[in-house]
C-alpha cells in the first residue's frame, strides 16, 4: 500500500509529526519536525526545475514519500506547513510571486494542491513570516513580543511581530518591507515587482552583486573582484574579497549597510521593535554588514528610538529556521 494512502493511525496520542516546507526561489526543502521542534530529516528539490505547478507538486510529493515512510506513514503526520514567496496565510495561495517561474502570472492554490495529494491539512504563509515564527519559537527571538525579522536572500523579505502576533493585515500580505522604495525620482533600480528603487534591489544578495559591478565600472581601483567576470560576481565573492581587506568590496557592504540602517530607522517608527533580526546568506558577512547598519540606524532614527532596538543575527541556520517556522503553521492547524 502506498504510504500516502494509509488510513490514519488511531491512538490516544496526538500525531507526533508535521511536514515543513521552505519554498525558496532556488531550493524547496521538505522537513519532518517533531513536537519538540527538532528537524528529524530533510529532502529537497529544485524549485525552478519544473514548468508547471502541477509538476512541482508531483515532484514534491515524491520527495516527501521517503521522509513519511521513515516515520511510520502519513497516518503519523498531523499536517503540513509551507513558507513561500508571496504566500497568503488566509487563502493558502501563492499570488503573483515574481521570482517563481510557475507562480508569477497568477494565484496558485498550493496549500490545497498538497493537501489533496497527501490527505492531510496544509497551511501556508509568506516565507519571511515562516522564518520569523521559527525564530520566535526556537531562536534569538524567544521571549520577544515585538520584533522585525529581515531576510536577506535572493530578495529582501520581512516578518513583523507585534504583541506576540504575526502581522498579516487585511489580506494576508502585510509586511513587505523589501518593497519600500529607497531611491525615488524614477532613478532607482528596476525591481522584480515592477517598481523602481525597492530596498530589495540594493540589499538582497543579488543587489550586493549588482552594486559590486557598478562600483567596478565606476572606478579603476584595484580589486580582487576584477579577477572574476563581472556577470559571474556573487555576494559570496564580495564577502570573501571584503574579508581579505579588499577596499572596493568593503565599500559595497558600507553602501548596503547604510541603506539597510536607514530603512530600519523608518521601520522603527512603525512598530518600535525590541529587535531587528537578520536572517539569510548575506548575514554571513558579519560585522562587515552589521556595523554599517547600526551606524546608519543611529544616524537616521528618531531620538526616542535611537538606542532601543537590538540588532541581531539569526541563531538558526537558514534551512532550519524556515522549515521550523513552516512546521509551526502545521501544528496550529
Amino acid at each position: 500500500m502506498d504510504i500516502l494512502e494509509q488510513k490514519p493511525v488511531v491512538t490516544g496520542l496526538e500525531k507526533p509529526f508535521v511536514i515543513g516546507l521552505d519554498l525558496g526561489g532556488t531550493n524547496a526543502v521538505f522537513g519532518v519536525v517533531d513536537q519538540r521542534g527538532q528537524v528529524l530529516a530533510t529532502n529537497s528539490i529544485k524549485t525552478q526545475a519544473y514548468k508547471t505547478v502541477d509538476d512541482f507538486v508531483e515532484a514534491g510529493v515524491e520527495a516527501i514519500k521517503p521522509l513519511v515512510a521513515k516515520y511510520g506513514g502519513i497516518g503519523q503526520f498531523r499536517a503540513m506547513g509551507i513558507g513561500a514567496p508571496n504566500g497568503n496565510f488566509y487563502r493558502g495561495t501563492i499570488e503573483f510571486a515574481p521570482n517563481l517561474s510557475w507562480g508569477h502570472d497568477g494565484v496558485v492554490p498550493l496549500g490545497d494542491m498538497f493537501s489533496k495529494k497527501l490527505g492531510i491539512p496544509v497551511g501556508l504563509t509568506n516565507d519571511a513570516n515562516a522564518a520569523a515564527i521559527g525564530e520566535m519559537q526556537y531562536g534569538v527571538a524567544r521571549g520577544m513580543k515585538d520584533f522585525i525579522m529581515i531576510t536577506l536572500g535572493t530578495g529582501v523579505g520581512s516578518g513583523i511581530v507585534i504583541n506576540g502576533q504575526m502581522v498579516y493585515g487585511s489580506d494576508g500580505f502585510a509586511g513587505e518591507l523589501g518593497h519600500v522604495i529607497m531611491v525615488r525620482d524614477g532613478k532607482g533600480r528596476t525591481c522584480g515587482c515592477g517598481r523602481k528603487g525597492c530596498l530589495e534591489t540594493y540589499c538582497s544578495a543579488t543587489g550586493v552583486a549588482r552594486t559590486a559591478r557598478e562600483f567596478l565600472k565606476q572606478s579603476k581601483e584595484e580589486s580582487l573582484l576584477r579577477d572574476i567576470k563581472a556577470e559571474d560576481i556573487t555576494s559570496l565573492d564580495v564577502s570573501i574579497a571584503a574579508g581579505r581587506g579588499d577596499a572596493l568590496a568593503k565599500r559595497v557592504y558600507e553602501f548596503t549597510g547604510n541603506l539597510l540602517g536607514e530603512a530600519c530607522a523608518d521601520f522603527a517608527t512603525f512598530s518600535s521593535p525590541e529587535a531587528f533580526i537578520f536572517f539569510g546568506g548575506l548575514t554571513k558577512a558579519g560585522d562587515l554588514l552589521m556595523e554599517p547598519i547600526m551606524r546608519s540606524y543611529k544616524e537616521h532614527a528618531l531620538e526616542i528610538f535611537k538606542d532601543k532596538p537590538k540588532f541581531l543575527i539569526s541563531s538558526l541556520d537558514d534551512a532550519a529556521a524556515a522549515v521550523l517556522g513552516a512546521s509551526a503553521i502545521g501544528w496550529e492547524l
Side-chain angles (χ1 to χ4, degrees):
M1 180 181 289
D2 192 301
I3 56 169
L4 299 183
E5 297 176 352
Q6 293 182 31
K7 299 294 183 183
V9 175
V10 179
T11 71
L13 300 175
E14 186 178 18
K15 295 176 184 180
F17 308 113
V18 297
I19 300 165
L21 166 57
D22 169 27
L23 177 54
T26 303
N27 296 308
V29 181
F30 302 86
V32 174
V33 181
D34 67 14
Q35 292 167 317
R36 293 179 294 175
Q38 292 183 309
V39 181
L40 302 176
T42 62
N43 201 0
S44 66
I45 60 175
K46 293 295 182 183
T47 305
Q48 309 280 32
Y50 307 94
K51 292 183 179 179
T52 69
V53 66
D54 295 282
D55 291 340
F56 172 79
V57 171
E58 288 291 341
V61 170
E62 289 303 311
I64 289 169
K65 281 184 177 180
L67 301 179
V68 169
K70 187 175 180 179
Y71 292 95
I74 201 66
Q76 295 290 336
F77 286 77
R78 177 171 174 173
M80 177 179 179
I82 302 172
N86 284 47
N88 188 323
F89 174 73
Y90 296 143
R91 300 174 62 187
T93 53
I94 294 175
E95 304 186 15
F96 300 96
N99 296 323
L100 294 181
S101 58
W102 43 260
H104 59 67
D105 287 333
V107 177
V108 177
L110 194 68
D112 188 53
M113 293 175 76
F114 269 109
S115 182
K116 287 178 178 176
K117 291 286 186 180
L118 298 173
I120 57 176
V122 177
L124 182 149
T125 190
N126 177 274
D127 48 357
N129 289 346
I133 293 168
E135 202 68 45
M136 182 164 56
Q137 294 196 1
Y138 308 109
V140 296
R142 287 184 73 174
M144 292 186 189
K145 291 188 174 182
D146 296 89
F147 69 92
I148 295 176
M149 183 115 178
I150 297 176
T151 60
L152 304 173
T154 307
V156 173
S158 60
I160 302 170
V161 174
I162 297 177
N163 197 27
Q165 295 184 318
M166 182 64 61
V167 173
Y168 289 112
S170 64
D171 60 358
F173 287 113
E176 287 290 348
L177 299 181
H179 295 286
V180 169
I181 294 177
M182 299 299 295
V183 179
R184 296 189 178 271
D185 300 327
K187 297 178 181 178
R189 297 173 181 174
T190 300
C191 182
C193 73
R195 302 194 303 166
K196 288 188 175 183
C198 291
L199 182 68
E200 178 172 296
T201 65
Y202 295 92
C203 298
S204 60
T206 48
V208 165
R210 184 170 175 177
T211 300
R213 288 192 286 271
E214 289 181 359
F215 282 14
L216 288 167
K217 189 175 181 180
Q218 291 166 3
S219 76
K220 294 184 179 180
E221 69 180 291
E222 293 183 5
S223 172
L224 296 171
L225 296 173
R226 294 195 186 278
D227 296 333
I228 306 169
K229 286 184 179 180
E231 62 270 23
D232 294 335
I233 291 173
T234 66
S235 62
L236 178 60
D237 296 322
V238 181
S239 178
I240 291 171
R244 292 178 179 173
D246 187 280
L248 185 143
K250 288 168 78 172
R251 278 210 334 275
V252 171
Y253 278 107
E254 284 286 332
F255 174 84
T256 306
N258 283 340
L259 275 179
L260 271 171
E262 184 178 343
C264 287
D266 287 340
F267 302 159
T269 66
F270 164 66
S271 65
S272 188
E274 179 180 346
F276 290 99
I277 301 171
F278 296 87
F279 168 81
L282 215 57
T283 63
K284 290 178 174 60
D287 287 344
L288 288 169
L289 180 66
M290 296 303 292
E291 287 184 358
I293 288 175
M294 290 185 283
R295 281 199 304 269
S296 178
Y297 175 83
K298 287 194 174 184
E299 179 183 346
H300 293 98
L302 279 172
E303 194 66 37
I304 55 172
F305 299 121
K306 236 172 200 150
D307 298 312
K308 290 181 179 175
K310 302 170 187 173
F311 286 79
L312 305 172
I313 292 176
S314 169
S315 63
L316 302 174
D317 71 74
D318 292 2
V323 168
L324 285 171
S327 74
I329 302 299
W331 289 119
E332 291 173 2
L333 292 176

